[in-house]
Amino acid sequence: MIKLFVGLGNPGPEYEATRHNAGFWWIDALARDWKLNLVPERGYHGLAARANIGGQSIWLLEPQTFMNLSGKSVGALARFFKIAPEEILVVHDELDVVPGQAKLKFGGSHAGHNGLRDIHAQLGTGDYWRLRLGIGHPGVKSEVVNWVLKKPLKEQREAIEDAIVRTLHAAPALVAGEMEKATLMIHTSKPPRPKPPRREPGDGGTTPAAT
């Protein structure tokens, strides 16, 4: 079961609405759903909240260390409460998934994501769960840093918010350790397909990151 939900991002108002903070957006939404207040916890270098669900303590955490030191916060809380890596879910922005979609996975490499890289180092393993919120890719590797540290376009932000709302429905299954059920809920929740353009008569049917 998941005992620690972590959202990745950068602290400060200048980063609040940037793509790299999608993990914070998800944790904020979960806290609202569970009627929790995230408060500063100096010992864990982040904003945290504790919930009691079915007699089990569940933690929400937003590291305030900047992205590339996220593991400092995650490792501190996990070690103190003896939370195993496989009981941790890290929610983060994902370049290789389009806005509006999300993917749940267990383990694997950090794929160049500096937040995951530091969590790997602090936990000593990559064997934890990740919820990858799609932010899309700028198309050019050299533009990635600027891309993640900029605000998404309005329609992209709305698509990401829709994905957050849908994936939050899997939270009870994640807490219960029903990972196959949670995966199915998340991976079959796809954004609605855009309607095809209306065909006009006689047109021949032609359609016109701190990172």
Side-chain angles (χ1 to χ4, degrees):
M1 63 182 295
I2 300 300
K3 297 180 181 178
L4 171 57
F5 291 86
V6 180
L8 299 189
N10 288 305
E14 67 270 39
Y15 297 109
E16 187 174 350
T18 63
R19 294 180 175 93
H20 227 12
N21 277 35
F24 278 9
W25 304 345
W26 196 92
I27 292 294
D28 287 341
L30 181 60
R32 287 193 297 270
D33 273 7
W34 287 359
K35 296 179 172 56
L36 299 174
N37 292 317
L38 293 160
V39 298
E41 292 283 357
R42 293 183 62 184
Y44 315 131
H45 316 285
L47 300 177
R50 189 174 190 170
N52 188 297
I53 299 178
Q56 176 65 53
S57 289
I58 308 295
W59 282 91
L60 277 59
L61 177 66
E62 293 180 356
Q64 300 294 291
T65 53
F66 285 97
M67 183 64 78
N68 63 353
L69 293 176
S70 298
K72 180 179 180 180
S73 175
V74 177
L77 193 150
R79 284 190 295 269
F80 188 84
F81 291 102
K82 296 180 172 56
I83 298 173
E86 61 269 21
E87 297 171 328
I88 299 172
L89 175 73
V90 177
V91 188
H92 65 91
D93 57 306
E94 176 56 63
L95 289 160
D96 295 328
V97 178
V98 299
Q101 293 193 15
K103 302 290 183 182
L104 183 68
K105 67 173 290 189
F106 179 76
S109 74
H110 53 69
H113 192 292
N114 286 334
L116 299 182
R117 187 195 307 272
D118 196 54
I119 292 171
H120 272 52
Q122 292 290 332
L123 296 181
T125 181
D127 291 339
Y128 53 89
W129 290 89
R130 306 98 185 267
L131 176 59
R132 304 157 67 209
L133 295 176
I135 61 167
H137 197 287
V140 181
K141 187 176 181 180
S142 62
E143 289 297 316
V144 165
V145 172
N146 287 331
W147 179 261
V148 299
L149 292 180
K150 285 185 177 178
K151 298 178 182 180
L153 298 174
K154 182 175 182 290
E155 58 269 25
Q156 294 174 341
R157 176 66 189 250
E158 289 173 350
I160 295 168
E161 293 286 356
D162 287 345
I164 289 171
V165 170
R166 292 195 313 271
T167 54
L168 283 174
H169 293 157
L174 292 167
V175 169
E178 298 171 343
M179 308 311 285
E180 288 187 11
K181 178 180 179 181
T183 301
L184 186 63
M185 292 175 71
I186 290 168
H187 287 199
T188 56
S189 295
K190 296 182 179 179
R193 296 177 64 181
K195 295 180 181 179
R198 293 181 61 181
R199 290 164 57 177
E200 298 296 331
D203 69 359
T206 303
T207 57
T211 61

